[in-house]
Amino acid sequence: MAQQAYMTETDNGGSGPERPGTRIRRLVSRLFAGRLADRGIWRRGLVLAALAFLVALVMVLHAQIPNAVGNLGSLIETFLPWLGVCVPVLVLLALVRKSATALIAVLFPAIVWLNLFGGLLGDKAGAGGDLTVVTHNVNADNPDPSGTARDVAASGADVVALEELTTSAVPVYEEALTSTYKYHSVQGTVGLWSKYPLTGVRAVDIKLGWTRAMRATVTTPAGQVAVYVAHLPSVRVKMEAGFTARQRDKSADALGEAIAHEKLTQVVLLGDLNGTMNDRALNGVTAQMRSTQGAAGSGFGFSWPASFPMARIDQIMVKGIEPAGSWTLPQTPSDHLPVAARVNVDTSS
């Protein structure tokens, strides 16, 4: 009788004794089924679920958010990748609330974020690249321009663009870079240094009233490349006016028009655009050019502020050229990080 009772207690549907762990799995499944049957687990966390759907909608429909009030749409687009931080926070809150509804709802922003930015998580850099370029906003208040120039030259770049140059600092940069770069030109507050000859150098009018953009033809061993350097106006976040960017937007359109009329088929844009690739205000430029970071970089490549980078507003974009790699360089005394890229120049162009 005792033997019969033992077999009844441990019987798992077979003729032998119950296998180790079977009872535990059975208890867990019963507990899980019981939790799901509990109506409270579905009723709790409805506010969290609504927040999750809202985050997902903002990411999906960011281009539809109007700029009429404080350029809200552009502000959100500048920091759009950071909405991904909401996902783990909402997961944690859903677990604290023991809400199955909220946990399921969080899947929506997670999927949208991965669809938008998941491709940036891997390293897309490839081999090759016959031209290395660097751009750096050196900061007008840079306390060590000579050291900054040496740091940039140490990158091994063939072409270097510098923005926010001051009249007093230009000779310092020229002296520090002349041994590495035989050719250079400074137009207003932007400059271009190159190991290869520069021709067709001219200022580019971006509707500011003073020069903050330039263009030059760089004759590389692989072919000619039109290189643009630009420093678009800064944007400000003001309590009374929101995200003020009207002058930046006007200059971006002018820069885009200049690039659209470029006669050379291979074009590189280097500079501080004070905007990200997601910002609709830069459509005049981004609609016709590719980001080297997006095409061949690793990670987001945030460049500003240098102490804790939160956005990539320093851009390297190409047109008619294939990116091979893109990355940020170590911090200098500037408040921006330098960014670099390797590109493949088409010898037939």
Side-chain angles (χ1 to χ4, degrees):
M1 181 65 68
Q3 180 67 20
Q4 183 179 359
Y6 172 79
M7 292 299 295
T8 299
E9 181 182 354
T10 61
D11 182 32
N12 61 0
S15 57
E18 187 173 49
R19 288 173 293 180
T22 300
R23 181 177 295 177
I24 295 175
R25 288 194 296 271
R26 184 181 297 172
L27 289 173
V28 170
S29 65
R30 287 176 180 172
L31 179 61
F32 183 72
R35 285 284 188 186
L36 291 181
D38 177 14
R39 293 184 178 180
I41 201 171
W42 299 105
R43 292 176 176 174
R44 288 191 295 269
L46 295 182
V47 173
L48 291 176
L51 287 174
F53 281 116
L54 179 61
V55 171
L57 284 173
V58 169
M59 287 190 285
V60 170
L61 302 176
H62 65 86
Q64 309 305 318
I65 300 174
N67 263 344
V69 180
N71 282 289
L72 180 61
S74 287
L75 177 60
I76 290 174
E77 288 166 340
T78 298
F79 300 102
L80 194 63
W82 287 95
L83 287 179
V85 175
C86 297
V87 173
V89 173
L90 288 169
V91 168
L92 179 60
L93 293 174
L95 291 174
V96 171
R97 289 285 292 140
K98 298 179 181 178
S99 169
T101 301
L103 279 174
I104 293 173
V106 173
L107 289 174
F108 288 91
I111 291 171
V112 172
W113 189 91
L114 287 172
N115 182 62
L116 290 175
F117 304 110
L120 295 174
L121 299 179
D123 187 353
K124 299 181 290 299
D130 40 36
L131 182 68
T132 300
V133 296
V134 165
T135 182
H136 188 27
N137 179 326
V138 294
N139 189 356
D141 297 322
N142 193 315
D144 185 15
S146 180
T148 299
R150 289 193 298 270
D151 289 343
V152 171
S155 68
D158 301 305
V159 175
V160 171
L162 301 182
E163 302 88 47
E164 211 164 295
L165 296 171
T166 61
T167 303
S168 59
V170 166
V172 179
Y173 286 108
E174 289 176 331
E175 182 179 358
L177 294 172
T178 188
S179 61
T180 305
Y181 301 97
K182 184 178 179 180
Y183 309 94
H184 88 278
S185 176
V186 174
Q187 302 287 322
T189 61
V190 298
L192 188 65
W193 278 259
S194 173
K195 294 180 180 178
Y196 307 123
L198 300 178
T199 56
V201 178
R202 59 177 172 81
V204 174
D205 182 11
I206 56 173
K207 311 303 180 184
L208 282 174
W210 69 96
T211 302
R212 282 177 49 156
M214 63 176 291
R215 178 258 183 225
T217 297
V218 179
T219 303
T220 78
Q224 289 190 328
V225 179
V227 176
Y228 285 76
V229 183
H231 182 195
L232 298 188
S234 300
V235 297
R236 297 287 185 267
V237 180
K238 300 179 180 179
M239 292 299 294
E240 72 279 7
F243 190 65
T244 59
R246 182 175 302 174
Q247 187 58 63
R248 189 277 311 266
D249 299 351
K250 181 180 178 181
S251 293
D253 289 340
L255 177 62
E257 185 176 352
I259 293 172
H261 288 89
E262 173 59 49
K263 294 181 179 180
L264 292 181
T265 58
Q266 300 190 105
V267 185
V268 174
L269 170 61
L270 307 170
D272 173 8
L273 303 190
N274 273 305
T276 68
M277 292 297 292
N278 297 309
D279 191 338
R280 80 205 51 188
L282 300 186
N283 281 351
V285 176
T286 58
Q288 58 180 316
M289 306 192 80
R290 301 171 67 193
S291 163
T292 57
Q293 185 68 26
S298 175
F300 292 92
F302 294 149
S303 63
W304 177 88
S307 57
F308 187 80
M310 296 185 66
R312 184 181 178 87
I313 62 175
D314 301 276
Q315 306 288 355
I316 299 178
M317 299 186 200
V318 294
K319 179 181 181 182
I321 293 181
E322 189 63 30
S326 190
W327 62 97
T328 57
L329 295 173
Q331 184 176 357
T332 72
S334 173
D335 56 341
H336 292 244
L337 293 180
V339 297
R342 286 181 290 108
V343 301
N344 291 302
V345 179
D346 186 354
T347 56
S348 64
S349 296

